[in-house]
Amino acid sequence: DWKIQPGGVIASNPAVFDGGVVFTSEIGEVIAVDAAGTVLWNRQVTGQLNASPVVAGGLILVAAFQGDNLISTFDFEGNQKWPFNPPKK
């Protein structure tokens, strides 16, 4: 039995990846924990994270509302890989 204490509200479902589970909070936290509940890494993005993170292609993708990047990606070790922003018209 374990608990995590993010700084913001967790408003979405977690996602499972090889080695852990990742949660996001409304204040832009991306938190990965292992099966024992130990925090593996904690990253911050700008904007609100209200949607569930997605695991695909060996990456964790998070979509921010009113952030610097529409989508931010992380590898399973917490390294930020690439941002995505649609072209401005």
Side-chain angles (χ1 to χ4, degrees):
D1 195 27
W2 51 267
K3 297 179 184 177
I4 62 169
Q5 303 249 329
V9 174
I10 295 174
S12 64
N13 294 317
V16 177
F17 66 94
D18 186 25
V21 177
V22 64
F23 298 86
T24 59
S25 79
E26 287 185 331
I27 62 168
E29 294 169 295
V30 183
I31 305 162
V33 298
D34 65 14
T38 303
V39 174
L40 299 171
W41 48 267
N42 187 337
R43 301 293 180 262
Q44 186 73 39
V45 299
T46 59
Q48 295 178 343
L49 297 176
N50 299 316
S52 297
V54 173
V55 175
L59 296 173
I60 297 165
L61 297 87
V62 295
F65 175 69
Q66 295 183 336
D68 289 342
N69 300 310
L70 178 62
I71 297 174
S72 295
T73 60
F74 300 89
D75 65 18
F76 296 161
E77 288 77 43
N79 301 305
Q80 190 162 13
K81 299 312 264 179
W82 49 262
F84 171 76
N85 289 297
K88 296 186 182 193
K89 295 184 178 195

